[in-house]
Amino acid sequence: MKTKFFFFLLLCCSVITFAQKTITGKVKNSEGDAVPSASVTIEEKGKDAIIAYAITNSKGEYKVTFTSADSSVDLKIKAFNHKPVTQSVQNTTQNLDFTLSAEATEIEEIQLKTRLITKRGDTISYDIQSFDTKNDRTLADVLKRMPGIEVNKDGSILYQGQPLSKFYVNGKDLMEGGYGVVNNALPKDAVQKVEVLENHQPVKILQDKVPSDQAAINIKLKKQVTMTGRGEVGVGISDPAIWNVKLTPMFFGQKNQWVVNYKTNNTGETVENEGNMFAMGNRWEGRRSNASQNSWLAVERASVPNLPEKRYLMNNIHFLSANLLTTPFKNKEWELKANASYVNNAVERESYEETFFKKENFTEVSVRDNNLYTNKAKGELIFTKNAKQGFFKNVTSFNQFWNEDRAAISLQNSLDNALNKDSRQSLSSPTSSFQNSLSTIIPLKSKMLNVMSYISYQDDNQLLRVAPGNYVFYPEEISGSGNIPVVQNLFGDFATVTQDFGMKTLEANHSATMGFTKKFWTFTPEIGFNYTSNNLDSEILELANSASSQRREEFTNDLRFSRAVPYAGLGVNYKSEAWTVGIQLPVNYNMIRAEDAARMVDKSFNRTTFEPSGFVQYSFASFWKAAVSGNWNYNFAAIDDLYAGILMSRPTSFSAMNPANPLSETESKRVGSRLEYRNPLNNLFFNVNYSLSQTDRNLIADVNRGFGLGIISYIEQDNRTVTNSQSAEIGKYFPKFKSNLSLSFRNSASTSDNARGGQIFENKNSTQNLTFKLNNAYFSWMTLDYNFTTGWGKNRSSIGDSETDSFNHNLALTLYPVENHSVTLNWDQLNYSSGAQNFINGFYDLTYQYAWTAKKVDFELKWLNIANKKVFERVFDDAFTYSFEQIRIRPSQVMVAVKFNFK
């Protein structure tokens, strides 16, 4: 397979290299003056099929690159007030100059038309008015209709299937990656066009030196100074009563920009995800990430269905955020940004599950009710200078979590009535974290010095309580009468079992890079030091404080872990008109130390690794891009591989690592290829991807589970996982029919070694997914949005086989019977089957809307879940278990709302 893959890449590169031709020249008029803005197109001989095109510059010069298998092609030149020229030319690289004779262009009727999509260099521009419909109100509504662009429910954007690196408004990065708030609330009427910046390098001093293969989006507004925003207030009838409030005023000026956002609802909309960072920039800007907790403990949770969240989420959310950008100095290259947000959310869940364990031959029935409470605050201060003469960026952020989870569990077991139990569980998990990231690039004549520093400190504290104690089953052998071993539950006599856990994490990474540029090449040697330390403490308080017994050391942890990695590397970058190359060649010296004397953990590890990564991208024939990428990296033992004290991570599951286990070593290799086509002349976009990855490990995990007991052990044996995946996506906009169509397919096959109960077996898994999307606004009285997804998969192993199939479609049909009035039918359906079991889950909504166009206000009446479906049903069937689930979802509800623009 590897040989075939690399042969395929070699063949593709050979075809591309030998087929590409370039024609250059000048276009003048009969008086010898240059003719600017003339169009130069290469077309198939005798046809109107455009292969490539170019526009002459102010000097009348043009350059057009194309690929054709024909021996000759037609070259056409058109310019205003000049006679068009068509000439048959040989399919070779050459220089051709043209002289155009004057000819008055007679205009019988003036008709102004804007091209839907235009391309200039690495910038592709979409005219937003060409894609919107009557009921579209925000930027996100229109973006989803543009070919090559996808918009997810949380407001995140994909271009050609890949996430963005930046999101600008009028060229400024106010949101610093958390652009979902703007995308979902910026009125479409304020936007002039959407610009996709391909191969975008956001650090100006590195442009044309250090290439990038990522894309960014710039939202160009109609006015340089814009006060706008979107609001919504809605109430509804349900049990309990429902509400939805959204208030997002925003201002975009040349010196200042700000966005204030407050959203609250109990209608199942996860507005808090809009505050997540979707675009991380690149490594030269420093290090940023979404803050998260180290979640070691958890209550038992009800299942969630694979439906849109609005169908099942029982929430009560308050989300407040504010983003400010200002230029504090006369030198506008400096920017100060302040971001803050607060989330308060309460979620209810309920599920019923029957599970049959095939090997053990018993059935377990569980009913789970959850109340999950999230309190989260974030503050961030960013100071930047981004100029051709230098770069500086410092990001200071603080995050605080005050989360509380509750669970009520009812458990029945077919083997023994004594195992039928009820439980009350709670988890408190406060977390504090602080990060500071600094990156600066200083020009030193023909060189550049980049200094980076990242410091992070996080303190996680978690307290899990389970009552009664006999629900927490941990078997312990005692001697009975006649020396016959008897097993008892260690926690059977306790009213409550309390697991205490705490971990402090310190991470620091400092590096210095020197950049050298020569012609198209830039070399960036780098040295750095990365250090991580973890202090993990845990104990079961009832055992630690019991008056009747001594402290049980095997149920405590006092683990000290550290990893130090000094490293050196070389970056090799090449940038020309056609080729883009970025390669990193780091050498790391890994030093790991773990110690917990009471549990006989004393391990150290030293290893030098070479971990290269990189990409090569080739642009050809105006519309095509081909790329290959790859990486080779190592991962060694982390703290969650080394704790030897028994930890109650779940009320029904204990885990501990055998201190005799060797340190884990994981070696991962990946290679991928990608082919893209973006043609604004016929509004066609498509991409094809191939990826092959291989992961080798020295340990294989084996989990033996009993009632409430799971002890993880490792078998020292080399094992491998190989994953092979292919995907293709095509999207085209048909202006004549005002339709945007896209079709995507993904296939993935993996083979892995697994262990269960001491038995090692090979597992083969394959999955396929097919997605079709249609947006149509051809008729003035109707619009149609339709998404269709189907997936199927197979799992094969020596223990057993299983197959699954799913079908999901989403339909939104809007009718406009009278001016300013609309009626929309939404239909969501998910069919799921496993083995002989089939379940159909259908949902219907109806919406009436009146648009007061003079005031830009909408009045809406909505009826959700008309069929009043109250549970979602599904089955799972694999080699080990068969399970049937019923999950509570949102009932029927009626809601009225007023939606408006702030200006």
Side-chain angles (χ1 to χ4, degrees):
M1 176 60 72
K2 289 183 181 179
T3 304
K4 293 180 180 178
F5 170 64
F6 287 113
F7 176 78
F8 171 76
L9 288 181
L10 182 62
L11 180 61
C12 288
C13 292
S14 301
V15 171
I16 290 169
T17 303
F18 287 107
Q20 182 187 358
K21 303 297 185 295
T22 300
I23 300 179
T24 58
K26 293 182 178 180
V27 179
K28 299 180 179 180
N29 58 24
S30 56
E31 297 179 357
D33 297 326
V35 178
S37 301
S39 66
V40 182
T41 60
I42 302 294
E43 303 180 7
E44 292 184 21
K45 195 169 182 61
K47 301 179 181 179
D48 290 329
I50 297 176
I51 301 173
Y53 78 101
I55 303 295
T56 59
N57 60 20
S58 59
K59 299 179 181 179
E61 298 170 335
Y62 73 90
K63 179 179 180 180
V64 58
T65 302
F66 65 97
T67 299
S68 175
D70 297 333
S71 60
S72 62
V73 295
D74 286 341
L75 187 150
K76 296 182 180 181
I77 301 177
K78 295 181 180 180
F80 188 72
N81 281 336
H82 291 81
K83 187 176 181 180
V85 170
T86 300
Q87 181 175 320
S88 177
V89 299
Q90 294 297 313
N91 184 4
T92 59
T93 296
Q94 54 190 305
N95 184 277
L96 296 173
D97 296 336
F98 293 89
T99 300
L100 304 184
S101 58
E103 181 181 76
T105 302
E106 183 178 344
I107 303 177
E108 297 181 355
E109 179 183 356
I110 297 178
Q111 193 174 31
L112 297 179
K113 289 186 178 181
T114 304
R115 178 170 286 278
L116 306 178
I117 308 172
T118 57
K119 184 177 186 295
R120 189 176 185 86
D122 282 337
T123 300
I124 295 177
S125 299
Y126 296 79
D127 176 57
I128 192 168
Q129 293 180 350
S130 301
F131 295 94
D132 69 346
T133 65
K134 292 180 181 180
N135 268 19
D136 290 339
R137 295 294 182 265
T138 66
L139 174 64
D141 292 335
V142 186
L143 281 178
K144 68 182 181 181
R145 304 181 186 281
M146 297 178 176
I149 295 177
E150 294 179 62
V151 180
N152 297 320
K153 295 294 184 182
D154 55 12
S156 60
I157 302 171
L158 302 179
Y159 173 70
Q160 290 281 56
Q162 303 295 316
L164 302 176
S165 65
K166 285 287 185 178
F167 181 95
Y168 302 103
V169 179
N170 278 351
K172 293 184 179 292
D173 184 15
L174 164 67
M175 304 306 292
E176 282 286 344
Y179 58 78
V181 172
V182 172
N183 192 27
N184 286 333
L186 179 62
K188 64 164 188 175
D189 296 336
V191 180
Q192 178 184 354
K193 62 181 177 179
V194 175
E195 298 176 328
V196 175
L197 315 176
E198 297 186 319
N199 304 318
H200 179 61
Q201 171 56 266
V203 180
K204 294 180 180 178
I205 193 174
L206 299 179
Q207 291 173 354
D208 300 323
K209 297 181 178 67
V210 178
S212 169
D213 62 344
Q214 295 180 295
I217 275 185
N218 178 48
I219 307 303
K220 190 171 183 180
L221 304 180
K222 293 178 180 178
K223 298 178 181 179
Q224 289 293 323
V225 178
T226 302
M227 176 68 192
T228 186
R230 186 77 176 156
E232 176 181 345
V233 178
V235 294
I237 302 171
S238 187
D239 184 20
I242 57 175
W243 72 85
N244 189 3
V245 177
K246 301 178 182 180
L247 302 172
T248 312
M250 52 185 74
F251 174 81
F252 301 100
Q254 294 179 311
K255 184 177 180 180
N256 302 308
Q257 293 185 353
W258 55 261
V259 173
V260 177
N261 177 60
Y262 173 68
K263 294 182 179 178
T264 177
N265 73 81
N266 64 346
T267 60
E269 188 175 356
T270 54
V271 293
E272 68 272 24
N273 288 341
E274 295 178 347
N276 292 339
M277 283 186 288
F278 303 128
M280 302 297 180
N282 68 22
R283 64 180 297 270
W284 301 98
E285 297 180 88
R287 180 173 168 182
R288 299 187 70 215
S289 61
N290 288 306
S292 62
Q293 297 179 283
N294 289 308
S295 299
W296 284 64
L297 311 181
V299 299
E300 293 179 78
R301 291 199 173 193
S303 301
V304 295
N306 45 341
L307 286 173
E309 278 190 322
K310 67 178 182 178
R311 297 296 183 191
Y312 68 85
L313 185 64
M314 313 289 181
N315 70 329
N316 186 330
I317 175 73
H318 296 267
F319 173 48
L320 175 66
S321 67
N323 299 74
L324 170 68
L325 180 152
T326 185
T327 52
F329 308 124
K330 291 183 178 180
N331 183 349
K332 295 183 180 180
E333 294 173 344
W334 288 94
E335 291 181 343
L336 175 65
K337 303 173 190 177
N339 306 323
S341 64
Y342 173 72
V343 174
N344 178 282
N345 192 20
V347 173
E348 296 180 12
R349 292 179 183 169
E350 181 181 336
S351 70
Y352 168 89
E353 182 178 359
E354 295 181 13
T355 303
F356 175 68
F357 295 85
K358 298 178 181 179
K359 185 177 180 180
E360 295 83 359
N361 193 29
F362 74 92
T363 299
E364 188 175 82
V365 178
S366 64
V367 178
R368 301 175 180 177
D369 291 298
N370 290 128
N371 293 95
L372 312 174
Y373 303 98
T374 300
N375 279 280
K376 180 172 63 175
K378 175 184 178 181
E380 194 170 52
L381 194 64
I382 305 172
F383 199 45
T384 64
K385 176 187 177 182
N386 190 2
K388 284 289 187 180
Q389 295 75 34
F391 176 80
F392 177 91
K393 185 170 187 176
N394 190 85
V395 182
T396 303
S397 60
F398 174 79
N399 293 271
Q400 179 67 50
F401 297 82
W402 305 271
N403 292 352
E404 300 278 344
D405 294 344
R406 304 285 184 269
I409 309 297
S410 177
L411 185 67
Q412 296 181 352
N413 193 287
S414 63
L415 286 181
D416 189 346
N417 289 329
L419 297 175
N420 298 337
K421 305 172 184 177
D422 294 331
S423 173
R424 294 292 183 269
Q425 306 168 10
S426 67
L427 173 67
S428 299
S429 53
T431 294
S432 301
S433 69
F434 169 85
Q435 299 92 30
N436 192 84
S437 173
L438 168 67
S439 178
T440 183
I441 301 177
I442 305 170
L444 301 173
K445 295 183 179 180
S446 61
K447 303 177 181 64
M448 297 178 297
L449 174 64
N450 173 229
V451 177
M452 287 183 172
S453 174
Y454 174 79
I455 298 175
S456 171
Y457 176 79
Q458 183 160 318
D459 186 5
D460 293 283
N461 294 280
Q462 297 167 34
L463 192 68
L464 175 62
R465 294 185 178 91
V466 185
N470 62 10
Y471 183 85
V472 182
F473 184 80
Y474 190 92
E476 186 172 61
E477 282 192 7
I478 61 174
S479 296
S481 59
N483 294 322
I484 299 174
V486 177
V487 175
Q488 73 169 8
N489 183 4
L490 176 63
F491 302 105
D493 295 331
F494 292 119
T496 303
V497 179
T498 307
Q499 174 72 66
D500 187 30
F501 173 89
M503 187 168 72
K504 295 177 173 59
T505 303
L506 173 66
E507 183 175 0
N509 191 357
H510 307 291
S511 66
T513 305
M514 182 67 73
F516 304 86
T517 301
K518 187 173 182 180
K519 292 186 178 180
F520 299 114
W521 294 90
T522 299
F523 301 93
T524 54
E526 177 182 13
I527 57 172
F529 182 77
N530 191 0
Y531 176 78
T532 303
S533 71
N534 301 99
N535 294 343
L536 188 157
D537 299 283
S538 73
E539 61 181 350
I540 294 181
L541 298 182
E542 284 74 17
L543 295 177
N545 302 325
S546 175
S548 61
S549 63
Q550 294 182 348
R551 187 170 186 260
R552 300 284 295 266
E553 291 291 343
E554 70 268 31
F555 285 91
T556 64
N557 282 286
D558 185 14
L559 179 61
R560 301 297 177 260
F561 173 85
S562 66
R563 175 189 284 112
V565 185
Y567 61 91
L570 174 66
V572 180
N573 304 281
Y574 177 84
K575 176 67 175 176
S576 68
E577 186 174 345
W579 290 92
T580 302
V581 180
I583 298 174
Q584 297 294 322
L585 305 170
V587 177
N588 304 321
Y589 182 60
N590 301 271
M591 297 178 287
I592 297 174
R593 175 71 177 160
E595 184 177 9
D596 184 353
R599 276 145 294 280
M600 296 182 293
V601 176
D602 186 5
K603 297 180 181 295
S604 60
F605 177 85
N606 299 319
R607 175 72 62 83
T608 301
T609 59
F610 175 56
E611 305 182 39
S613 64
F615 72 93
V616 178
Q617 179 179 283
Y618 179 54
S619 300
F620 60 100
S622 298
F623 310 122
W624 293 85
K625 284 199 305 185
V628 293
S629 62
N631 61 274
W632 190 335
N633 65 282
Y634 295 83
N635 286 298
F636 302 105
I639 191 168
D640 51 356
D641 298 321
L642 295 169
Y643 67 95
I646 298 172
L647 185 71
M648 184 177 68
S649 56
R650 304 290 187 274
T652 58
S653 178
F654 290 82
S655 60
M657 306 300 168
N658 188 338
N661 286 341
L663 290 175
S664 64
E665 302 177 28
T666 302
E667 179 184 3
S668 301
K669 292 172 279 190
R670 187 198 67 84
V671 64
S673 62
R674 179 176 176 85
L675 182 66
E676 289 185 25
Y677 179 80
R678 307 97 59 230
N679 189 342
L681 297 178
N682 58 15
N683 310 304
L684 178 63
F685 292 73
F686 77 79
N687 62 83
V688 180
N689 301 272
Y690 176 84
S691 177
L692 175 65
S693 64
Q694 176 180 304
T695 302
D696 295 290
R697 303 177 182 86
N698 67 322
L699 303 177
I700 188 168
D702 185 17
V703 182
N704 284 301
R705 294 195 179 276
F707 300 113
L709 175 64
I711 298 296
I712 301 175
S713 61
Y714 284 88
I715 302 172
E716 189 174 2
Q717 175 175 313
D718 293 339
N719 62 97
R720 172 173 294 177
T721 299
V722 178
T723 302
N724 210 311
S725 63
Q726 308 86 34
S727 67
E729 180 181 16
I730 183 169
K732 180 172 174 58
Y733 186 79
F734 297 88
K736 184 177 179 180
F737 301 101
K738 293 205 73 173
S739 295
N740 183 34
L741 277 77
S742 69
L743 183 68
S744 62
F745 176 77
R746 180 176 181 83
N747 174 66
S748 179
S750 65
T751 302
S752 61
D753 297 321
N754 293 266
R756 186 181 178 100
Q759 180 181 357
I760 299 174
F761 60 94
E762 184 181 71
N763 189 73
K764 295 183 178 181
N765 188 65
S766 66
T767 58
Q768 293 79 35
N769 288 280
L770 177 67
T771 301
F772 170 77
K773 296 181 181 180
L774 168 65
N775 307 111
N776 178 270
Y778 177 73
F779 300 102
S780 61
W781 51 271
M782 183 192 77
T783 60
L784 175 68
D785 297 302
Y786 179 72
N787 295 341
F788 162 81
T789 302
T790 183
W792 58 98
K794 296 180 180 179
N795 186 273
R796 300 284 184 265
S797 71
S798 58
I799 295 180
D801 302 334
S802 62
E803 296 184 10
T804 58
D805 294 282
S806 64
F807 168 88
N808 184 15
H809 77 172
N810 312 98
L811 171 70
L813 175 66
T814 303
L815 304 177
Y816 305 94
V818 183
E819 184 70 20
N820 297 331
H821 297 261
S822 65
V823 179
T824 301
L825 171 66
N826 289 95
W827 175 20
D828 296 334
Q829 182 159 321
L830 189 145
N831 297 351
Y832 189 88
S833 66
S834 180
Q837 297 289 324
N838 295 279
F839 293 93
I840 299 175
N841 299 275
F843 302 88
Y844 309 90
D845 306 329
L846 196 62
T847 303
Y848 164 75
Q849 182 172 286
Y850 169 70
W852 189 4
T853 55
K855 299 295 184 180
K856 295 184 179 180
V857 176
D858 298 319
F859 299 93
E860 184 180 84
L861 174 63
K862 182 179 291 187
W863 184 7
L864 301 171
N865 192 3
I866 295 173
N868 198 25
K869 192 175 181 67
K870 296 180 179 178
V871 295
F872 173 87
E873 297 178 320
R874 67 182 176 190
V875 294
F876 293 100
D877 189 6
D878 59 28
F880 308 107
T881 61
Y882 171 84
S883 63
F884 165 73
E885 287 184 336
Q886 286 185 330
I887 305 170
R888 178 190 171 200
I889 59 176
R890 298 186 66 88
S892 181
Q893 53 195 36
V894 177
M895 191 167 190
V896 294
V898 179
K899 303 179 180 181
F900 54 90
N901 290 353
F902 276 100
K903 194 173 180 180

